[in-house]
Amino acid sequence: MIKIAVFASGGGSNLQALIDAQENGLYPKGQIRLVFSNVPEAQALQRAENHKIESVAIASKGFPGTREEYDQEILRLCQAKKIDLICLAGYTRIMTPVLIKPYLFKMMNIHPALLPKFGGPGMYGHFVHEAVVKAKEKETGATVHFVTEGIDAGPVILQGDVKVHPNDTPLTLAERVLKVEHQIYPEAVRLFVEGKIKVDGDRVKLSY
Ligand code: GRF
């Protein structure tokens, strides 16, 4: 059994998509064992509770220690629960190598654009869709990628496209991109659980 942890800081609609996929049998050899949040009031924690999944919150705001010490606590938690895969789903905190290194190529993130476009520092949430609209892109989408030390820079696992309409606002676009996120994230988890993702240098090779 591949034990999965999902990290979320907000609403957790991607977490919900991962839970629903699990309940629909998309990855029978994987199981979400933990939902972690750095925001104790995150709605994602409630979603975990609704599905009887263990949830843990450690407030990052006001945490009495360094970023590394914070990540060390999360690492201890994940190791104690023998977590094999971490899925970041709207987790807004930048991580340190303390957590990234032990989970290299075992930690995924979902980003609401077609990386490497519209990624990097400051490119999150509505900022991404605002930038896409401003740049008059014809196409955007979502990317699932492995987490490495560079922000949004790790090997791409899956992408899904979304056409940008001339009358799109960042909000209308965000809505359609989110729908694609909910399709590709569970699929990426399925591929991982089935051992179909290989990393070759800085590229991912998928076997279907
Ligand atoms: C998503 O757009 C995701 O791509 C980004 O943060 C958002 C989280 O949404 N990383 P939700 O909390 O899963 O609804």
Side-chain angles (χ1 to χ4, degrees):
M1 183 62 71
I2 302 284
K3 300 179 195 70
I4 304 166
V6 182
F7 289 13
S9 308
S13 71
N14 276 288
L15 163 66
Q16 191 66 53
L18 294 175
I19 294 173
D20 292 346
Q22 174 176 304
E23 292 184 351
N24 290 331
L26 187 67
Y27 28 85
K29 292 194 179 123
Q31 195 173 44
I32 303 170
R33 291 281 175 94
L34 172 72
V35 171
F36 174 79
S37 186
N38 61 322
V39 180
E41 48 287 333
Q43 201 199 327
L45 295 167
Q46 186 58 52
R47 292 184 194 264
E49 213 169 282
N50 294 345
H51 292 264
K52 312 228 173 331
I53 298 170
E54 183 176 355
S55 63
V56 174
I58 305 175
S60 51
K61 206 170 162 188
F63 180 78
T66 62
R67 280 181 169 270
E68 284 75 13
E69 283 163 348
Y70 182 84
D71 283 354
Q72 192 65 53
E73 288 222 9
I74 307 174
L75 180 64
R76 265 198 292 270
L77 178 69
C78 288
Q79 286 177 337
K81 300 201 173 302
K82 300 196 167 31
I83 296 298
D84 303 296
L85 170 67
I86 297 176
C87 294
L88 307 185
Y91 186 69
T92 52
R93 193 160 161 94
I94 306 287
M95 286 177 176
T96 66
V98 166
L99 195 49
I100 295 172
K101 278 196 179 137
Y103 276 96
L104 191 63
F105 306 134
K106 293 175 189 165
M107 191 190 311
M108 298 176 178
N109 180 42
I110 182 123
H111 185 80
L114 293 176
L115 292 175
K117 279 184 157 184
F118 303 100
M123 274 294 165
Y124 59 90
H126 63 99
F127 295 112
V128 177
H129 306 294
E130 278 164 17
V132 168
V133 169
K134 201 169 168 209
K136 298 196 187 337
E137 292 288 306
K138 292 205 163 49
E139 191 181 62
T140 185
T143 303
V144 181
H145 64 94
F146 280 123
V147 175
T148 56
E149 287 178 39
I151 298 175
D152 299 328
V156 169
I157 301 166
L158 281 181
Q159 292 189 307
D161 301 345
V162 171
K163 290 250 174 310
V164 183
H165 302 151
N167 56 349
D168 260 328
T169 65
L171 265 177
T172 58
L173 200 52
E175 225 172 83
R176 294 207 307 290
V177 170
L178 199 58
K179 284 199 183 126
V180 170
E181 293 181 36
H182 297 164
Q183 292 163 3
I184 65 172
Y185 214 175
E187 181 58 12
V189 170
R190 181 185 74 80
L191 290 168
F192 184 96
V193 166
E194 292 181 4
K196 292 182 169 158
I197 307 178
K198 299 274 172 282
V199 183
D200 183 8
D202 57 359
R203 295 190 76 105
V204 157
K205 278 191 179 165
L206 300 179
S207 50
Y208 285 95

